Amino acid sequence: MIDRFIAIINMSLTASCVALGVMIVRLLLKKAPKIFSYILWSIVLFRLICPFSFESSLSLMYSSDISKEVIYTQAPNVSNNVETIDNMINTAIEKPIKAPDSGTSVNPMELALRIGSRIWVLGMIILLSYGLFSYFKLKHRLATAILIQDNVYETDLISTPFVLGFIRPQIYIPVGLDMNDFDYILKHEQMHIKRRDYLIKPIAFIALAIHWFNPIIWISFILMVKDMEMSCDESVMKQSREDIRESYSNSLLSISIKQNGLISPISFGGGNTKGRIKNVLNYKRPRFWIVFIGIFVVITTGIVLLSNPKTLSPKKIDFSVYEIYKNRTEYVGDNVKVVNIVDRLPISQALTRSKVELFTKEEPYVIEITYDTSRTVREYFSGADNQNVFDQNAILIFALVGNVEYVNFVLDDGENDELIQRTRDWANYNMNKDVWKDSSTMEQFDLLSQKVMDNLAKDDISYELDILALINNGRRTKRLSVNDAPYVENYKRIEVIGEIYYIYEDGNKYYVEKPYEFINELTGEDYNDINNTNELISGKIEESDDKVSQEIVDMIEENLSIIMSSPKDASNPWIYIDMHQNEYEEIIKNGEEEALQYMISQFEAGNIDGLRGQIMMILCKELLGDRNNVIDEALSPEEWFSQLNIK
């Protein structure tokens, strides 16, 4: 119930922004035919009843909704980038919902939403019941009406003409109308039927009943009905070959005098009589350029208000020091900021944050973050050596939230969960400082975050988790995997966290297959991301296979310097080696293949002048053993290397 209520609030906020935009555009179209203003209200109606829309870079809409995490918010506020709406809502909730101290466990927002959702349902039921009761009461009252022509009925029980019915709409008019009035009334009501207004207004009323708590929607409904009636008046006058403005206005006036307050779905003489008469008297047949501008404005307004702004892919989180630091707070109870911090933490694509819970009833205060994931990923992260990303994020949280003592990460695969817990003492010990105090400025936090990121840099397994997330992001097909490999000719085999998968293209579609388990259809973007990431991992592995560690390089260079240091007057390299046998043996025993690889690279670079080249040649020969194909011992280092085939 609460989730639905939050969804309705989000739709209502979006529709309110659209309604305000339509009201502004409506003023600009004051001289244009009212049909354009009437059409614009369909945009608001769409936003009120449809929870989704298409995306466009031309959209002027905001992209921030009220999250379900507002349930955990003790000091709620709404920010939708529309100051009028923000101030209205925040002022309304500021006094009744006060933020408790950080040590309390009372959750006023959850309580308020629970009560609010019930009041919302009750109000909706009352309003819809009233509408249905009024409709059937009126229909029963008109049972004795006399049919005078086609679908037109006459009765002395009403004083205002209107259309009633949804499937076969009927026109009801009061008895004793003047013939001129009757003609205009009939054309007006027939125009309502022709435009299906008898369906549009009830649908708008249902939308109003759902969003009854929003005053902007009430105003919109009233303005929509005014534009409906005025545009209908204009359509009648447009179809007439004569100037009927004066006589039509007199008909409006005479009908309004006889009104008795009867509520009807669509009424010819109902409400805003003064505005309608004024609009009729000022009516002029629109020129082509006015109609053209009106069409252009309606189409443009529809695009910018119907569409949602384009969003970046949620798969990748761009860590911004400024964006996360501006939410820094001393208290766990400042829930809005805490949730914002959590959502800005760098995290693997294989993890989807589902819930943030704050335990503030008593010390020690705890932040618990739950991530939905797969069994494979949960099992991987259960290993202590694979929890670097949680170490990193825990340190960042302790630096940004002053009084939290425990940070819990819960990995939930739908059947089992894994708890990873870090404490403030652990963070301070590992960073050798008080991370909260040492992050008192954004510059200090920037240095801390860089140090944390550098120490816990993304490794190959993180890329594999990204691939796994993309695989799981695919749409499960009904095709069965019944072989060790796909039936297509061209496929690529990839290994992800010890599991074998195949990716391939078939019939202009992209698939990932896990033998004997499933076949998922991928988007072209995800297929390319998997392929590119897999190639990146392969390249990193090949590069790491060829790369000598800096530790080995330092060891070799240090020992070479010692070996060449004495005796100064000798020319035979073996004399130097004999005097520094320990250093020589250290290169052989500790360096092994990496030492050989490094010294070969020195030969390739030409860094083999004099004694250095002689000693490295001797070292390489011993490390090569039987692989040394050069037998001639009289060759110089350059000559020996030029004849070596192992290169």
Side-chain angles (χ1 to χ4, degrees):
M1 179 70 77
I2 292 180
D3 289 351
R4 292 177 184 173
F5 184 45
I6 292 175
I8 290 295
I9 291 175
N10 281 324
M11 291 170 63
S12 198
L13 288 173
T14 302
S16 296
C17 295
V18 172
L20 292 175
V22 168
M23 291 176 193
I24 294 173
V25 176
R26 185 173 173 270
L27 293 175
L28 300 177
L29 294 174
K30 190 174 182 180
K31 299 295 184 181
K34 291 295 182 276
I35 186 65
F36 296 124
S37 298
Y38 180 42
I39 292 173
L40 285 175
W41 292 114
S42 64
I43 306 174
V44 181
L45 181 61
F46 175 83
R47 287 292 192 175
L48 286 171
I49 62 179
C50 189
F52 53 84
S53 185
F54 64 96
E55 292 188 351
S56 170
S57 56
L58 299 176
S59 176
L60 295 181
M61 299 304 298
Y62 61 89
S63 58
S64 59
D65 286 339
I66 297 177
S67 169
K68 294 177 183 179
E69 303 302 335
V70 75
I71 294 174
Y72 306 108
T73 302
Q74 295 167 324
N77 68 77
V78 173
S79 178
N80 290 300
N81 301 325
V82 182
E83 186 175 356
T84 304
I85 298 176
D86 291 350
N87 290 341
M88 184 187 306
I89 297 173
N90 291 331
T91 300
I93 65 178
E94 181 179 4
K95 292 181 180 179
I97 305 177
K98 298 196 175 197
D101 295 335
S102 59
T104 67
S105 61
V106 179
N107 196 334
M109 195 58 186
E110 181 178 7
L111 179 62
L113 283 173
R114 196 173 298 280
I115 295 173
S117 63
R118 283 166 170 75
I119 295 175
W120 164 63
V121 171
L122 179 62
M124 183 169 54
I125 292 173
I126 291 174
L127 203 55
L128 289 174
S129 299
Y130 172 76
L132 287 172
F133 175 77
S134 300
Y135 173 80
F136 287 111
K137 179 182 178 182
L138 185 59
K139 195 170 183 63
H140 180 266
R141 185 176 182 182
L142 298 173
T144 58
I146 300 173
L147 177 66
I148 58 175
Q149 67 177 62
D150 298 330
N151 63 335
V152 182
Y153 291 79
E154 189 177 56
T155 177
D156 59 356
L157 298 177
I158 61 173
S159 59
T160 304
F162 53 80
V163 174
L164 188 68
F166 303 118
I167 299 176
R168 295 179 181 178
Q170 299 167 340
I171 299 173
Y172 292 89
I173 59 174
V175 174
L177 286 179
D178 181 86
M179 286 305 298
N180 285 336
D181 293 343
F182 177 85
D183 185 51
Y184 295 143
I185 289 170
L186 188 59
K187 288 180 179 179
H188 180 97
E189 302 302 337
Q190 287 174 340
M191 186 59 63
H192 276 309
I193 294 175
K194 182 179 179 180
R195 301 191 318 184
R196 303 290 190 273
D197 288 340
Y198 63 90
L199 295 177
I200 294 173
K201 189 173 181 181
I203 292 173
F205 180 79
I206 292 172
L208 176 67
I210 295 173
H211 300 268
W212 63 266
F213 54 86
N214 189 337
I216 295 178
I217 305 306
W218 282 92
I219 296 172
S220 299
F221 182 79
I222 294 170
L223 293 177
M224 186 272 296
V225 172
K226 287 183 179 180
D227 289 338
M228 176 191 290
E229 295 297 336
M230 287 185 181
S231 64
C232 204
D233 293 336
E234 291 178 352
S235 295
V236 173
M237 290 186 290
K238 184 180 179 181
Q239 290 182 354
S240 176
R241 297 180 180 179
E242 301 176 357
D243 185 355
I244 61 171
R245 290 180 294 179
E246 183 176 351
S247 55
Y248 193 91
S249 299
N250 289 332
S251 296
L252 283 174
L253 183 61
S254 64
I255 291 296
S256 66
I257 293 173
K258 299 175 183 179
Q259 284 181 10
N260 60 5
L262 182 66
I263 296 177
S264 60
I266 296 177
S267 169
F268 172 78
N272 193 34
T273 303
K274 181 179 178 181
R276 291 177 63 188
I277 292 175
K278 185 177 179 181
N279 185 64
V280 168
L281 294 175
N282 292 331
Y283 174 76
K284 295 179 181 179
R285 293 184 182 275
R287 296 180 180 179
F288 172 78
W289 66 271
I290 293 180
V291 174
F292 178 80
I293 292 176
I295 294 173
F296 175 78
V297 170
V298 168
I299 293 175
T300 303
T301 305
I303 292 173
V304 300
L305 295 182
L306 268 179
S307 59
N308 293 328
K310 281 192 172 181
T311 55
L312 297 175
S313 172
K315 298 172 188 173
K316 297 175 183 176
I317 300 176
D318 189 13
F319 182 76
S320 167
V321 170
Y322 170 75
E323 289 297 325
I324 196 170
Y325 188 80
K326 70 181 183 181
N327 292 287
R328 190 173 189 262
T329 176
E330 294 184 23
Y331 305 110
V332 179
D334 197 348
N335 302 53
V336 172
K337 290 186 175 181
V338 172
V339 172
N340 284 337
I341 288 170
V342 169
D343 284 343
R344 285 162 174 77
L345 295 172
I347 198 70
S348 169
Q349 297 180 33
L351 302 174
T352 302
R353 200 272 291 166
S354 61
K355 184 168 60 176
V356 179
E357 291 185 87
L358 310 178
F359 298 91
T360 58
K361 183 176 182 179
E362 57 186 8
E363 295 186 7
Y365 304 136
V366 181
I367 296 175
E368 185 166 287
I369 311 165
T370 301
Y371 293 99
D372 290 338
T373 190
S374 65
R375 176 184 57 81
T376 304
V377 176
R378 179 187 61 77
E379 289 177 350
Y380 166 75
F381 279 125
S382 64
D385 294 336
N386 303 327
Q387 297 174 357
N388 283 356
V389 65
F390 302 107
D391 294 341
Q392 160 192 288
N393 289 345
I395 292 171
L396 295 178
I397 290 174
F398 287 125
L400 294 169
V401 183
N403 67 341
V404 62
E405 292 297 329
Y406 288 86
V407 174
N408 294 342
F409 301 97
V410 179
L411 310 185
D412 186 359
D413 64 9
E415 296 181 0
N416 299 294
D417 55 48
E418 183 78 24
L419 173 63
I420 301 171
Q421 186 179 79
R422 297 293 182 264
T423 67
R424 180 173 293 278
D425 289 340
W426 167 88
N428 292 340
Y429 174 80
N430 277 273
M431 298 305 295
N432 199 27
K433 64 178 70 175
D434 186 324
V435 295
W436 167 258
K437 291 182 179 178
D438 206 54
S439 302
S440 57
T441 67
M442 189 168 67
E443 290 74 18
Q444 289 178 315
F445 176 73
D446 188 16
L447 292 174
L448 174 70
S449 63
Q450 287 181 27
K451 185 176 180 181
V452 171
M453 298 293 189
D454 291 342
N455 290 343
L456 305 171
K458 190 169 187 177
D459 51 17
D460 291 340
I461 198 67
S462 298
Y463 290 105
E464 290 190 40
L465 290 172
D466 291 347
I467 292 178
L468 186 61
L470 293 170
I471 290 173
N472 292 332
N473 194 45
R475 182 182 64 84
R476 187 63 56 90
T477 67
K478 295 182 179 179
R479 299 165 61 178
L480 300 177
S481 177
V482 294
N483 295 308
D484 293 330
Y487 67 89
V488 297
E489 292 183 1
N490 298 317
Y491 57 81
K492 183 171 290 186
R493 179 182 184 274
I494 60 176
E495 184 174 345
V496 183
I497 315 182
E499 302 282 350
I500 302 301
Y501 299 87
Y502 296 94
I503 58 172
Y504 53 88
E505 183 178 356
D506 183 25
N508 295 323
K509 292 185 177 181
Y510 302 95
Y511 298 95
V512 57
E513 179 173 343
K514 187 173 184 182
Y516 301 103
E517 292 196 26
F518 63 80
I519 299 176
N520 284 356
E521 183 179 343
L522 302 170
T523 64
E525 181 183 359
D526 285 352
Y527 176 84
N528 291 329
D529 283 349
I530 291 174
N531 200 26
N532 293 337
T533 306
N534 184 63
E535 289 180 0
L536 173 65
I537 296 173
S538 300
K540 285 168 65 68
I541 292 172
E542 291 173 6
E543 180 182 340
S544 64
D545 288 342
D546 296 334
K547 189 175 180 181
V548 180
S549 68
Q550 189 63 42
E551 183 180 355
I552 294 296
V553 172
D554 293 342
M555 181 271 292
I556 294 172
E557 290 295 343
E558 182 180 354
N559 286 321
L560 280 175
S561 297
I562 295 173
I563 293 171
M564 292 187 297
S565 65
S566 61
K568 294 290 187 182
D569 54 349
S571 59
N572 188 339
W574 284 106
I575 296 175
Y576 290 87
I577 293 172
D578 289 341
M579 289 189 64
H580 303 284
Q581 194 65 38
N582 291 337
E583 286 74 15
Y584 180 87
E585 291 297 330
E586 184 177 356
I587 295 175
I588 297 295
K589 292 179 180 179
N590 296 338
E592 297 182 331
E593 284 298 311
E594 281 191 276
L596 176 62
Q597 185 178 328
Y598 174 70
M599 288 185 285
I600 291 294
S601 71
Q602 293 298 294
F603 274 92
E604 290 174 340
N607 190 16
I608 52 173
D609 295 335
L611 181 61
R612 175 184 174 88
Q614 293 285 347
I615 296 173
M616 284 200 299
M617 180 178 66
I618 295 171
L619 284 164
C620 286
K621 287 180 179 180
E622 183 166 350
L623 288 167
L624 284 168
D626 294 338
R627 292 178 292 171
N628 180 21
N629 63 294
V630 184
I631 302 174
D632 191 349
E633 296 291 337
L635 297 177
S636 66
E638 293 89 344
E639 293 170 333
W640 170 80
F641 182 70
S642 66
Q643 297 180 25
L644 185 66
N645 289 331
I646 195 173
K647 298 178 291 183

